[in-house]
Amino acid sequence: MSISRLLLAFATASTVVSAAVAQTATPPSRWGAGDELGMANTLGPATWQRCAQALANPKAKSYEVSHLRSNTMPQSPFGVPLRDKYRPTVGIPGTVHAFNGEETVSGEPGAQGTQMDAIGHFAALPEVWDGKGDFPADRATDYGGYKQSDIKPTPDSPLQKLGIEKVPPIVTTAVLLDAKAYLGKGKAMQPGEAVTAKDIEGMLKAQGLESRGLLPGDVLYIYTRLGRQLERP
């Protein structure tokens, strides 16, 4: 089981439609109009109950699944290096208190390395964009049928819908699939290599998990060994 703060695969695998293949508007949510959670709707008492036995086991272990963030790790081509400004230690007159702090001057602190993201960051066009002229953002449809006017009414607006603040605590079971062994034949997968639904079915069978499968609310971890690149100095 796993208590995880990583929703990237969990949310995007079930709610994001690629603009390259989207030929129609994003379908409405199976949970009805106004839904902003996507597959996170499956979290709750049912997933907590699946975890209860493992959580109560005194021999249960916890594992760190995050990576130390640095400007030398591979990052999105859409991102910029993260730079902080560190303030000197100062005090308050008439007190014994001393303090210091820092501020981010560039970059996105939440967009480097492993991350937990909001489904409002991804949308789909009704047809493939040819790259000519201004990007038709007003034609994009987000999860649940939301329009850009609902999500980002102005270009500099923060998310008005589908934000990360809507995500509930992720207390659920997890399945770890070994793509390095199954697809890489023992070697790390290469950047750009895809893991398909058929591959996932094959890994479940190879690891003896075919009968269990993936349950609603599961977190799915896929081991590719590409994470080693995030650890380089």
Side-chain angles (χ1 to χ4, degrees), residues 6 11 17 19 29 44 82 100 103 105-106 126 128 131 134 137 141 148-150 166-167 171-172 193 202 220:
L6 298 178
V17 179
S29 167
L82 180 65
N100 55 60
E103 62 180 294
V105 295
S106 73
V128 175
D134 294 334
T141 303
Q148 283 292 287
S149 57
D150 302 314
K166 302 297 174 62
V167 179
V171 181
T172 186
E193 283 191 275
L220 173 60

Side-chain angles (χ1 to χ4, degrees), residues 133-195:
D134 294 334
F135 181 72
D138 59 337
R139 302 193 62 198
T141 303
D142 289 72
Y143 167 77
Y146 287 108
K147 301 296 184 182
Q148 283 292 287
S149 57
D150 302 314
I151 305 295
K152 285 178 68 69
T154 61
D156 59 351
S157 170
L159 295 182
Q160 303 300 306
K161 299 284 187 180
L162 307 176
I164 200 66
E165 74 280 358
K166 302 297 174 62
V167 179
I170 305 175
V171 181
T172 186
T173 43
V175 173
L176 173 63
L177 298 181
D178 192 350
K180 174 190 171 187
Y182 184 79
L183 297 175
K185 308 303 180 185
K187 297 182 179 179
M189 294 186 66
Q190 298 302 306
E193 283 191 275
V195 178

Side-chain angles (χ1 to χ4, degrees), residues 80-105:
V80 296
L82 180 65
R83 291 190 174 89
D84 292 319
K85 178 181 179 181
Y86 302 99
R87 303 190 188 112
T89 299
V90 295
I92 301 175
T95 76
V96 296
H97 185 58
F99 63 92
N100 55 60
E102 65 283 323
E103 62 180 294
T104 299
V105 295

